Amino acid sequence: MSILIDKNTKVIVQGFTGKEGSFHAEQCLAYGTKIVGGVTPGKGGTTHLGQPVFNTVREAVLATGATVSMVFVPPAFVGDAVLEAADAGIELSVIITEGSPVRDMQRAKAYAVKKGMKTIGPNCPGIITAEECKIGIMPGSIFKKGNIGLISKSGTLTYEGANQVCNEGFGITTAVGIGGDPIIGLSYLQLLPLFEADPETEAIVMIGEIGGDLEIQAAKFIKEHIKKPVVAFIAGQTAPKGKRMGHAGAIVSGSAGTAAEKMDALSKAGVHVVKSPAEIGKKIAEVLKK
Amino acid sequence: MNIHEYQAKEIFKRYNVPTPNGYVAFSVEEAVENAKKLGGSIWVVKAQIHAGGRGLGGGVKLARSLEEVKTLANEILGMTLVTHQTGPAGKLVQKVYIEEGADIADELYLGVVLDRAREMPVIMASREGGMEIEKVAAESPEKIIKVAVDPFIGFQAFHGRELAYGLGLDKDEISNFIKFAAALYKVYMENDAEMIEINPLVKTKSGSFIALDGKMGFDDNSLFRHPDVEAMRDESEENPIEREASGYGLSYVKLDGNVGCMVNGAGLAMGTMDTINYVGGTPANFLDVGGGANAQTVAKGFEIILKDPNVKSIFVNIFGGIVRCDRIANGILEATKLVDVHVPVIVRLDGTNAKEAAEILKNANIKNIITASDLNDGAIKAVAAAKGN
């Protein structure tokens, strides 16, 4: 079992024939992901990586039955791409592109919600169900199949966390990189209940960072609704206030959004909070061996 | 990206958001000229820096004669202004804004920011004008009226009424206030602003509203479609090393410690700083080499980290996803040829092509390069090296 995607999920790539889109689509195909086509306006009717290319998402959905899109278009076109996917009936859009305007994402996400389309990202590594389906840019080889669900705002901390979990002899059901932008798609609040309901997931790793209050909302939710053990790390304990730390959303404004505040809320909700990302694997081992 | 008050007011004027008249000056002579141009008998001399709290710091002064304009401009230009937002080092004042005096009956607060939880812009208003709004929010949140605006419908009259009645404005002030708030919302949306703050928003004795101050920040990701805003960038307000780094696609923030960090990904970069702290060291910087790192950018990364004389060791922590480890390894080798890396470099490479990368580093056999097996090991070695062990 897994959440959101599995070996049968049919995926199209928006921005299929571009440099990044091509490189990562090829990696996903090699991993076993059912990439059934792609969209590049103007290149409809051609074939790329052995798969058909379409001019519009609607054509691609009609011809292939794809339910998920992976978005690699340049930042200025992300808003339009997500709106198009939502309008064409895509069920889940995974947005990898970094640097799209906040306003565009805000509008695109609001429309996606209205259309019933889930989104992941933008500015994220994507989602992977170990040894079944990879929709994103993560190095697939480190995600061994297992019993841990992982949710992370950071791409490389997703890899770090998964790698440690696997090195401790456990594995991953599904790992979701939710992205570090101010406006993101699926977040802790939507993903935690999916992992709670997934019979194969026995524990959850959640990796957050400074900025915003999603982790605080998650803490309240965990206290009331999540029975499975949760191990959490919040990046940016040593980050100065008022400075943007790489991710557009990673900024402590005034005294709100600090790592300390988030770690405290999570601890009080019964979450196993670690102070260093190097402790994630060990903490999972400790929690599951009890 | 942030801009100065005088620039924010230029944008306000384009949208018919009322502001007092004023001109920016780069010298004392220009300040006096500006005051003459404005006429009248009262002027305000305002330091232009990218930080709030200028009044309390002594950067905003009232002048009642041209002579006084001269004295005050002379005093403020070239001063190092310290406010609660500048940090203890303060900021050098290189320009002043000369503004006509305003007829003030009351001081309010009005701002627009993105509410990340509700995922829409929120307009905030308060009667506590002139105060530090973070303080008001912490001590008496009920004094701040917040109205979220769904961009699908845009700013409507009812949003304005919710704000105006919430503030307890008089009947004859309400329509003026709604017009003001509507215009400000338009400024926010059409310029891809990240935040606008008017503190204080002045109510005049005749019941109209004027932006006495103006602060604007913009979404960096949207600047490509606002060349006029981009042109307002004041590079002298930015940290020169951070600016240089961003020119190479590197995201750098200087900190106070002695262990330099070069990491791929913002989250892992913060996590690396936290780990250095956790094992008893102090990080010297945040540096994300990003997804497109190559030998050149890595070499640049070393150069930038080494500009900080406090750096005693460098921890290169790369988990390869998009960035392949062999590329980073080659970058490190290249860098040691281009830059005099005089401190120990602790390298931890994991992920895509990590084995090839380890081979490359091993075969190169360079002293000063210490390899680490994982994040914790690397942090411990880097902290030990910084302590001279």
Side-chain angles (χ1 to χ4, degrees):
Chain A
M1 286 291 287
S2 57
I3 68 165
L4 295 165
I5 60 167
D6 60 25
K7 59 182 186 295
N8 300 315
T9 304
K10 286 184 182 171
V11 184
I12 53 161
V13 182
Q14 293 179 258
F16 191 31
T17 57
K19 188 171 156 244
E20 294 290 326
S22 291
F23 176 78
H24 290 293
E26 201 169 5
Q27 302 275 316
C28 291
L29 278 163
Y31 193 77
T33 306
K34 283 209 171 97
I35 291 184
V36 294
V39 177
T40 298
K43 292 199 177 165
T46 62
T47 302
H48 185 62
L49 306 177
Q51 305 299 326
V53 183
F54 301 90
N55 286 319
T56 68
V57 176
R58 200 176 306 280
E59 283 171 3
V61 168
L62 280 175
T64 65
T67 56
V68 175
S69 86
M70 174 162 69
V71 179
F72 275 104
V73 302
F77 309 113
V78 165
D80 183 50
V82 176
L83 290 169
E84 183 183 2
D87 208 77
I90 287 286
E91 291 168 18
L92 170 67
S93 185
V94 182
I95 311 148
I96 308 299
T97 310
E98 174 179 358
S100 57
V102 174
R103 195 128 311 142
D104 295 3
M105 245 352 271
Q106 189 270 335
R107 211 158 62 109
K109 188 186 169 187
Y111 188 64
V113 169
K114 182 170 175 253
K115 285 293 206 174
M117 181 179 83
K118 297 183 179 77
T119 50
I120 293 175
N123 189 11
C124 78
I127 173 170
I128 184 167
T129 287
E131 295 167 22
E132 288 192 32
C133 180
K134 164 180 126 132
I135 304 175
I137 58 175
M138 57 288 270
S141 59
I142 57 171
F143 294 85
K144 307 273 184 293
K145 208 174 187 54
N147 53 0
I148 310 294
L150 196 152
I151 312 168
S152 170
K153 271 187 180 174
S154 148
T156 36
L157 278 177
T158 307
Y159 317 157
E160 183 69 51
N163 196 47
Q164 286 180 30
V165 164
C166 295
N167 286 346
E168 290 288 339
F170 300 94
I172 299 293
T173 47
T174 300
V176 191
I178 61 177
D181 269 15
I183 298 224
I184 57 172
L186 296 181
S187 173
Y188 309 112
L189 281 192
Q190 295 80 41
L191 294 166
L192 285 164
L194 298 181
F195 279 127
E196 180 77 9
D198 173 36
E200 266 180 30
T201 300
E202 285 176 36
I204 303 161
V205 171
M206 102 174 228
I207 299 170
E209 65 189 22
I210 54 166
D213 73 339
L214 291 175
E215 293 84 354
I216 307 275
Q217 294 178 35
K220 282 184 200 145
F221 186 84
I222 289 168
K223 197 171 182 184
E224 288 165 23
H225 303 286
I226 303 296
K227 305 274 181 297
K228 293 177 181 176
V230 180
V231 169
F233 170 70
I234 305 295
Q237 296 158 60
T238 48
K241 283 182 184 178
K243 276 279 186 184
R244 183 159 274 124
M245 306 302 278
H247 286 154
I251 181 163
V252 174
S253 321
S255 58
T258 63
E261 169 194 33
K262 294 180 181 195
M263 289 162 78
D264 184 50
L266 288 163
S267 293
K268 283 184 180 146
V271 172
H272 305 272
V273 179
V274 293
K275 286 182 181 160
S276 156
E279 306 289 311
I280 293 170
K282 277 184 248 170
K283 185 55 86 175
I284 276 288
E286 187 189 313
V287 166
L288 285 185
K289 274 170 193 159
K290 261 183 198 163
Chain B
M1 188 191 103
N2 295 322
I3 59 173
H4 290 290
E5 174 197 5
Y6 77 92
Q7 297 167 319
K9 285 178 172 174
E10 270 172 35
I11 298 176
F12 288 178
K13 283 190 184 116
R14 271 188 248 149
Y15 289 83
N16 296 319
V17 174
T19 67
N21 292 314
Y23 303 100
V24 68
F26 296 80
S27 68
V28 176
E29 297 72 41
E30 209 179 344
V32 176
E33 279 309 303
N34 289 348
K36 279 186 197 157
K37 243 192 297 183
L38 285 167
S41 57
I42 293 186
W43 301 271
V44 191
V45 182
K46 304 169 105 176
Q48 299 293 292
I49 56 165
H50 285 182
R54 291 169 298 157
L56 290 171
V60 179
K61 296 258 169 84
L62 202 66
R64 294 178 191 279
S65 67
L66 289 174
E67 197 49 43
E68 219 177 333
V69 169
K70 192 176 170 183
T71 312
L72 291 173
N74 192 38
E75 190 182 303
I76 294 172
L77 275 168
M79 80 186 279
T80 299
L81 192 52
V82 180
T83 80
H84 69 281
Q85 286 185 1
T86 59
K91 278 197 159 171
L92 179 69
V93 181
Q94 293 168 302
K95 39 199 158 288
V96 289
Y97 191 50
I98 310 299
E99 199 170 61
E100 63 187 7
D103 145 37
I104 302 175
D106 201 359
E107 295 191 350
L108 295 87
Y109 170 95
L110 189 64
V112 192
V113 292
L114 174 73
D115 183 329
R116 286 170 63 170
R118 300 172 77 163
E119 301 183 338
M120 45 180 93
V122 61
I123 305 180
M124 298 192 296
S126 173
R127 292 217 76 117
E128 304 291 307
M131 302 265 295
E132 207 181 300
I133 198 69
E134 291 88 356
K135 216 170 160 189
V136 179
E139 286 166 12
S140 34
E142 75 285 353
K143 288 184 177 164
I144 300 176
I145 326 298
K146 290 184 179 180
V147 171
V149 181
D150 184 337
F152 278 138
I153 60 168
F155 185 91
Q156 301 294 320
F158 81 85
H159 293 121
R161 288 196 299 276
E162 285 185 13
L163 290 164
Y165 286 106
L167 287 170
L169 296 179
D170 290 344
K171 235 183 5 203
D172 53 340
E173 297 162 354
I174 286 175
S175 78
N176 275 341
F177 179 84
I178 293 177
K179 261 187 236 154
F180 190 102
L184 197 68
Y185 177 80
K186 205 169 172 209
V187 172
Y188 182 84
M189 292 305 285
E190 289 189 2
N191 292 283
D192 278 294
E194 188 176 74
M195 67 95 188
I196 304 182
E197 198 174 72
I198 298 176
N199 192 16
L201 166 72
V202 156
K203 190 173 83 181
T204 64
K205 292 182 182 113
S206 57
S208 60
F209 293 88
I210 299 178
L212 199 62
D213 193 12
K215 199 171 163 188
M216 283 185 85
F218 299 86
D219 171 17
D220 290 343
N221 291 347
S222 304
L223 288 175
F224 70 90
R225 57 191 180 202
H226 300 287
D228 55 329
V229 173
E230 175 78 60
M232 290 180 170
R233 182 182 289 274
D234 182 352
E235 294 194 339
S236 70
E237 287 286 330
E238 296 168 11
N239 177 305
I241 305 182
E242 290 175 15
R243 196 176 68 233
E244 188 187 337
S246 81
Y248 295 104
L250 308 173
S251 176
Y252 172 90
V253 177
K254 191 190 168 314
L255 304 169
D256 300 326
N258 60 10
V259 181
C261 308
M262 181 166 356
V263 188
N264 69 324
L268 188 59
M270 281 189 278
T272 303
M273 286 156 43
D274 293 343
T275 306
I276 288 168
N277 179 58
Y278 182 68
V279 301
T282 52
N285 66 277
F286 166 93
L287 177 60
D288 174 10
V289 292
N294 54 39
Q296 257 63 42
T297 54
V298 173
K300 257 310 163 216
F302 275 121
E303 234 175 77
I304 281 161
I305 290 172
L306 289 168
K307 278 183 200 243
D308 177 354
N310 295 332
V311 170
K312 297 285 183 284
S313 68
I314 297 175
F315 182 16
V316 179
N317 183 23
I318 304 288
F319 209 113
I322 316 177
V323 189
R324 299 194 322 259
C325 295
D326 54 330
R327 270 169 72 181
I328 301 288
N330 280 320
I332 294 165
L333 297 181
E334 182 89 25
T336 55
K337 287 177 205 150
L338 298 171
V339 189
D340 171 30
V341 186
H342 55 272
V343 299
V345 178
I346 290 75
V347 184
R348 181 265 180 143
L349 300 171
D350 213 334
T352 310
N353 294 2
K355 273 184 204 152
E356 290 86 337
E359 276 302 301
I360 290 168
L361 288 178
K362 210 179 93 190
N363 294 338
N365 197 18
I366 295 175
K367 68 167 178 110
N368 250 7
I369 293 185
I370 303 160
T371 56
S373 57
D374 60 26
L375 171 55
N376 208 46
D377 182 45
I380 290 170
K381 284 177 175 165
V383 171
K387 288 178 178 163
N389 301 328

